[in-house]
Amino acid sequence: MFIRPVTRFGRDLFTAPDKSITHRAVMFNAVADGEAVITNALLGNDCRSTIACMTALGAKVEVSGDTVRVRGVSALKDAALDAGNSGTTTRLLAGLLAGKNVTASIDGDDSLRSRPMLRVTRPLCEMGADITATDGKAPLYIRPAALHGIDYVMPVASAQVKSAILLAGLSADGQTRVTEKVRSRDHTELMLRAMGADIVTEGNTVTVRRSGLHSCDVHVPGDMSAAAFLFGAAVAVNGGSVTVREVGLNPTRTGVLDKLVQMGAEMTVKNEVAGAEPYGDVTVRREGALRPFTVVAEEVPSLIDELPLLAVLGMYAEGDSVIRGAEELRVKESDRVETTAAMIRALGGEADTFPDGMIIHGSGKVRGGTVDSFGDHRIAMSAAVAALGSECGCEIKGAESAAVSYPGFWEVIC
Ligand code: S3P
């Protein structure tokens, strides 16, 4: 895929529906007591993996356009599950299945098989789960076990790990408490509460007690992590302006907007709709020179998936942009510290890496070049954004990976 530079970038559109919320809406309703309708569901490859897994476990899932109907099952079937490229599917399901009296395996593609799983299997084993990983990674093997609650202080900031423990806590004796140093996205807590679970959040601690779930219709807002690429395009092309309609504004997800503003972009929010998962119409505009940005550890969870994008935007500012406290980037769909730095260098920029982040030495300009996505959707889409304001454009290898989270991305960006 070749992306040409452009001199103007303006869009007013809806973006891909939220991936995190779609995963949860399908998965939780699949074990709830009734039928739910999920509208504006994301049908990217990752969420399709979740649908396939829940179907294999015995739930009835029907897809029609972007509407998904889910009828839950109380007794799950034993199954060999394929989570594809999806870490969220794998880790959340590990927790959900641990206390569900089921024998299951969860496997996926080479990227998924390289990602750390002890971060979920360890706390689940502490709860009494019979779950094993393969050299600390997928495939995972789960067998029936009786669970008991634990009091767990999270060693890493990860919504996937937090969610796995909370989901196991729904089938555990006693109370399960999870404490985070910095709050990660809270879609699991919000949806479980809406489905009738006994779950309470106090500060950075979430407590859950054994609960059954009631089905709950969900209208999925736009995905801030998908919209970010469009806002990024408005920032990469001087004079650019993008409005994304009905994009999710959950404060655990909006860190990227703060960084775009720090860089000098103008941001406005209109038509905000309040609720557990608020959403609204967000406009980002750029006029003139950009400033470098800094990201520190406490900010990382709220913009974790947007860091490759922010890093390439750092090339468009004059001066050093710094990302620290982001060691989690190394265990995403690719080692995003290295694949992002490689992308910057391939585009003619300069970056130095640390174990927990990088410095981008921005010159205000991007030459362009050939970027390998390494099969990572967010690297492919970041390269496309970088190309738009560049001198000679960008050839992107592995562009098809964008379909993991943003089907239709190439039509929108080109
Ligand atoms: C996700 C949580 C994040 C994020 C991923 C989706 C989720 O991962 O990177 O794309 O839906 O819970 P971690 O929780 O492992 O940081």
Side-chain angles (χ1 to χ4, degrees):
M1 169 75 64
F2 185 78
I3 301 293
R4 277 171 225 293
V6 295
T7 49
R8 298 156 67 88
F9 193 87
R11 299 282 189 281
D12 183 340
L13 74 183
F14 292 86
T15 189
D18 193 280
K19 179 157 83 74
S20 293
I21 296 178
T22 304
H23 276 305
R24 287 158 172 82
V26 171
M27 205 182 275
F28 304 172
N29 276 304
V31 295
D33 68 349
E35 190 169 320
V37 181
I38 305 162
T39 46
N40 196 41
L42 176 66
L43 292 165
N45 295 344
D46 268 11
C47 294
R48 287 187 187 275
S49 294
T50 291
I51 291 174
C53 289
M54 301 325 288
T55 305
L57 287 162
K60 294 272 169 297
V61 187
E62 264 172 47
V63 178
S64 152
D66 60 9
T67 298
V68 179
R69 275 168 206 282
V70 183
R71 183 137 39 85
V73 278
S74 45
L76 296 173
K77 289 198 232 167
D78 294 346
L81 303 171
D82 180 0
N85 191 243
S86 177
T88 310
T89 309
T90 307
R91 297 196 179 109
L92 268 60
L93 263 180
L96 185 72
L97 299 182
K100 283 279 187 202
N101 200 25
V102 73
T103 300
S105 58
I106 314 177
D107 201 359
D109 67 11
D110 287 347
S111 154
L112 189 88
R113 279 182 165 209
S114 74
R115 299 181 67 184
M117 293 297 157
L118 293 181
R119 53 179 56 201
V120 282
T121 57
R122 270 200 194 121
L124 292 175
C125 287
E126 264 183 58
M127 296 177 78
D130 183 347
I131 178 167
T132 47
T134 309
D135 291 332
K137 306 200 166 127
L140 303 180
Y141 298 96
I142 301 159
R143 286 161 293 270
L147 305 187
H148 52 83
I150 53 167
D151 203 334
Y152 194 68
V153 179
M154 297 270 298
V156 287
S158 165
Q160 295 177 358
V161 176
K162 173 178 64 174
S163 299
I165 300 167
L166 295 175
L167 290 167
L170 293 174
S171 321
D173 275 345
Q175 67 171 28
T176 301
R177 272 158 59 100
V178 184
T179 301
E180 301 182 282
K181 290 183 193 106
V182 183
R183 276 185 83 179
S184 61
R185 65 190 69 191
D186 61 355
H187 306 300
T188 295
E189 297 90 302
L190 294 170
M191 201 176 292
L192 290 180
R193 195 165 306 134
M195 296 176 81
D198 181 352
I199 183 165
V200 177
T201 301
E202 283 164 311
N204 287 359
T205 299
V206 189
T207 307
V208 66
R209 289 182 187 77
R210 185 191 292 281
S211 315
L213 300 179
H214 308 305
S215 300
C216 177
D217 291 347
V218 178
H219 180 74
V220 182
D223 194 329
M224 179 57 75
S225 298
F229 293 105
L230 302 164
F231 298 141
V235 170
V237 181
N238 201 357
S241 172
V242 166
T243 298
V244 179
R245 307 268 167 194
E246 296 184 10
V247 62
L249 292 171
N250 179 319
T252 62
R253 297 287 302 281
T254 53
V256 64
L257 295 178
D258 301 334
K259 292 299 137 186
L260 297 180
V261 169
Q262 192 181 338
M263 293 184 80
E266 206 183 283
M267 199 260 305
T268 51
V269 180
K270 287 195 182 143
N271 304 323
E272 191 167 348
V273 177
E277 294 284 1
Y279 60 89
D281 301 341
V282 178
T283 301
V284 171
R285 285 196 192 89
R286 171 195 168 188
E287 279 311 333
L290 296 172
R291 294 185 290 269
F293 65 86
T294 51
V295 171
V296 296
E298 298 73 59
E299 298 170 318
V300 167
S302 72
L303 44 66
I304 180 75
D305 291 336
E306 289 67 72
L307 286 171
L309 170 74
L310 285 169
V312 293
L313 292 178
M315 300 172 76
Y316 281 102
E318 262 181 69
D320 287 351
S321 290
V322 183
I323 299 171
R324 296 307 297 255
E327 49 282 323
E328 277 299 297
L329 274 187
R330 292 201 176 267
V331 291
K332 293 295 177 187
E333 286 83 330
S334 65
D335 174 344
R336 286 185 181 157
V337 172
E338 298 308 330
T339 54
T340 299
M343 164 167 58
I344 288 170
R345 291 177 194 132
L347 291 165
E350 282 179 43
D352 296 320
T353 62
F354 307 112
D356 68 338
M358 69 185 80
I359 294 194
I360 304 100
H361 305 290
S363 67
K365 282 197 240 147
V366 174
R367 182 197 64 210
T370 299
V371 169
D372 191 337
S373 74
F374 296 96
D376 185 331
H377 55 132
R378 302 210 193 269
I379 299 294
M381 292 189 279
S382 300
V385 170
L388 290 172
S390 70
E391 285 157 15
C392 12
C394 180
E395 175 66 31
I396 302 165
K397 292 191 192 158
E400 66 286 350
S401 57
V404 158
S405 61
Y406 199 159
F409 174 75
W410 300 106
E411 288 74 46
V412 167
I413 209 81
C414 289

